[in-house]
Amino acid sequence: MFDSRHIRTFHEVVRTGSYSAAARALGYTQPAITQQMKALERAVGTPLFLRVGRRMRLTEAGEALSRHAAVILDSMAAARQQMAALTRLRAGRVRVCAFPSAGATLVPEALARLAADHPGVRVELQESEPPESLDRVVRGECDIALAFTYPGLREQVPEELVEVPLLEDQLTVLMPAGHPMARRRAVRLAELTDERWIAGCLRCRTNFLHECAELGFAPDIVFTTDDNLMVQSLVAEGLGIAMMPGLVLSFLVHRKVTGRPLEPAARRQVSAYALREHLRIPATALVLEELKAVAANRVGC
């Protein structure tokens, strides 16, 4: 293997035409240059220079190495610049996988903050519900996953992942604005046993069924969808009500829909997950910090 210092010195000897000139240019002593060139010739396995009188001439091997030396040094300089850009957050790529309501709230705010201070850091967005989003981090398909868990359910998190808690998301009930319960500040799930329901993703639906079973009733689920806008449209048309996370209230688009928190309060934990070694990557760590900052400013979740 070549020593990069020897390649640099060799390139300077070729450029200046002598060991003494290379020593002056590099700030070395001439014996140090001589020793480096001998070490390089040992690594190559053949002489690189021939002396013709007082002049030095490259051997065939020396000429071949000379053609590559400039390219090697340029590539190393480019690599140093790129590493410096990554560590100083002038560049970098982070792949974020988020569930829909986080992708519509936390992520845009965090990316806006990031773009303002570190425009060279590029974030690629993917959408996926847990547990698939966590598995994608483990498989190397994304760097950060935003996911949620419910306290009443036993949910496994891959042991390779580190959890970064972001916020507790208050669960609410979406209902038509004219619903009798809409006049209340909060509603009890036990008072909604006769309602028609719209259920969400598998994890949310599992928690919803668990909560209902704890109260001794089986809900009448008439529609199932993980599309938040579709849920709102179905509720707006009076086709059912839905238990939804508080984050959804940030992007209610139907005037005929309102949300009321559950009483007693029910919450889900929203967290970011990443591989432990990824926490040391500056761009990944920065995105996590921005997500934590945005989550800390959320009110009513």
Side-chain angles (χ1 to χ4, degrees):
M1 296 295 292
F2 296 155
D3 187 316
S4 60
R5 295 171 301 172
H6 296 168
I7 294 294
R8 180 167 177 261
T9 301
F10 170 78
H11 180 69
E12 197 63 27
V13 170
V14 173
R15 187 185 71 83
T16 58
S18 70
Y19 285 2
S20 57
R24 289 192 297 271
L26 295 174
Y28 295 160
T29 63
Q30 183 169 331
I33 297 292
T34 301
Q35 291 301 317
Q36 287 194 40
M37 291 303 91
K38 288 181 177 179
L40 181 59
E41 288 180 330
R42 287 195 298 270
V44 171
T46 186
L48 298 173
F49 300 98
L50 292 175
R51 285 198 172 273
V52 180
R54 295 184 177 180
R55 300 180 60 186
M56 298 182 64
R57 181 167 62 84
L58 289 171
T59 65
E60 183 179 2
E63 290 178 351
L65 183 58
S66 178
R67 289 193 293 269
H68 292 289
V71 176
I72 292 171
L73 294 173
D74 287 345
S75 296
M76 290 176 58
R80 284 194 295 269
Q81 291 174 1
Q82 187 172 4
M83 294 304 102
L86 290 171
T87 55
R88 295 171 187 171
L89 293 170
R90 293 197 300 267
R93 181 190 70 156
V94 182
R95 299 164 299 170
V96 176
C97 187
F99 57 94
S101 56
T105 53
L106 301 178
V107 172
E109 291 182 42
L111 297 194
R113 292 167 56 101
L114 184 69
D117 296 330
H118 302 279
V121 177
R122 180 183 182 88
V123 177
E124 298 178 2
L125 298 180
Q126 306 170 19
E127 183 176 301
S128 185
E129 299 276 3
E132 172 61 21
S133 56
L134 303 185
D135 292 337
R136 295 179 75 171
V137 177
V138 175
R139 294 196 300 264
E141 297 172 6
C142 63
D143 305 305
I144 297 173
L146 294 184
F148 55 87
T149 57
Y150 288 101
L153 302 179
R154 299 180 64 181
E155 298 166 321
Q156 296 295 321
V157 174
E159 61 181 13
E160 302 97 320
L161 300 183
V162 174
E163 178 182 4
V164 180
L166 296 178
L167 58 83
E168 289 188 344
D169 193 9
Q170 169 76 57
L171 297 184
T172 66
V173 176
L174 292 190
M175 59 185 68
H179 193 284
M181 295 285 185
R183 293 191 294 270
R184 299 188 181 184
R185 295 183 62 181
V187 297
R188 292 182 176 274
L189 188 58
E191 299 175 307
L192 303 170
T193 57
D194 295 329
E195 296 285 344
R196 290 155 53 93
W197 290 89
I198 303 158
C201 71
L202 178 60
R203 182 168 287 196
C204 292
R205 185 164 68 252
T206 300
N207 177 71
F208 173 55
L209 291 172
H210 171 77
E211 295 291 335
C212 293
E214 289 287 300
L215 295 172
F217 77 97
D220 179 15
I221 298 177
V222 292
F223 298 104
T224 299
T225 176
D226 59 0
D227 186 322
N228 290 314
L229 293 180
M230 184 179 294
V231 171
Q232 293 181 44
S233 297
L234 293 170
V235 171
E237 296 302 325
L239 298 173
I241 64 175
M243 180 189 288
M244 298 290 284
L247 286 174
V248 172
L249 299 181
S250 300
F251 53 93
L252 280 179
V253 297
H254 288 283
R255 295 180 180 178
K256 296 188 293 181
V257 175
T258 189
R260 293 293 180 267
L262 280 172
E263 189 179 73
R267 296 180 174 87
R268 66 177 183 175
Q269 175 66 47
V270 176
S271 299
Y273 296 85
L275 293 170
R276 187 175 303 277
E277 54 267 30
H278 283 189
L279 300 181
R280 300 171 55 199
I281 299 175
T284 301
L286 178 63
V287 172
L288 287 170
E289 288 301 316
E290 296 293 4
L291 286 168
K292 288 193 292 185
V294 167
N297 291 329
R298 300 294 300 186
V299 177
C301 293

